[in-house]
Amino acid sequence: MNRPSRTRLMGMGMLVVTFAAGLLAGAASSRALSARETEPQAATAAECSDRRGPHSIFEKLSLSPEQRQRIDGIMARRRARMDTVWQEHGAPIRAAHDSARAEVRQVLTPAQQAEYDRLRAAHRAERERREAKEKQGMSDGGSR
């Protein structure tokens, strides 16, 4: 009689998925910020404006060089902490995320599964394209 209802279990599952997605998004943001901060040449405001994420906020604040340097230090420390957390807990987070994705896929019709897979592959390809472009920009040289 005290067994949790299916709705309650689904709700708890969605909370876990949301938490895992947030952790992954935070880790991805941290990595994106770390890549940008280590670029030899600073991104222009126009380049930042078409990218999403908290990094673009700094470009809009007209920071002084001292402020930018201090913020870069804060972000570097945060990145180091996030890398440590990701190294220690990344595998279970990824497993939880993958498990939730598999469960979601089971709810979909075969046609929806195919579209879901196609959209995920497109998203992955776009992310890899952006990362390759950022790495190419870093290897082109230049100075801050």
Side-chain angles (χ1 to χ4, degrees):
M1 286 270 183
N2 286 337
R3 244 178 76 196
S5 70
R6 183 175 182 180
T7 304
R8 176 177 260 169
L9 288 175
M10 288 181 68
M12 290 176 6
M14 290 304 294
L15 284 173
V16 168
V17 169
T18 302
F19 178 73
L23 286 173
L24 290 172
S29 295
S30 176
R31 289 182 189 273
L33 285 171
S34 96
R36 174 157 297 111
E37 290 170 354
T38 58
E39 287 180 3
Q41 184 174 8
T44 65
E47 290 170 331
C48 288
S49 68
D50 65 343
R51 296 178 185 165
R52 290 187 223 156
H55 56 276
S56 64
I57 210 167
F58 299 130
E59 300 301 327
K60 296 176 182 178
L61 292 176
S62 301
L63 299 173
S64 71
E66 179 189 352
Q67 288 174 312
R68 185 64 201 195
Q69 184 178 13
R70 290 177 65 190
I71 289 172
D72 286 346
I74 292 166
M75 299 306 282
R77 286 190 306 275
R78 181 179 147 259
R79 181 177 57 251
R81 285 192 306 258
M82 283 304 298
D83 287 346
T84 299
V85 168
W86 190 250
Q87 287 171 359
E88 292 175 5
H89 305 290
I93 292 169
R94 183 169 283 117
H97 189 69
D98 291 346
S99 172
R101 186 175 288 138
E103 285 184 57
V104 166
R105 220 172 159 277
Q106 289 175 355
V107 173
L108 304 175
T109 67
Q112 289 170 324
Q113 289 176 352
E115 180 67 3
Y116 177 73
D117 294 342
R118 186 192 68 75
L119 291 170
R120 288 202 58 245
H123 176 73
R124 187 177 320 114
E126 174 62 20
R127 184 182 67 237
E128 289 169 358
R129 185 194 64 76
R130 277 193 318 265
E131 289 171 358
K133 183 178 176 183
E134 289 176 4
K135 285 181 183 178
Q136 178 62 36
M138 287 175 23
S139 67
D140 284 344
S143 61
R144 266 195 163 181

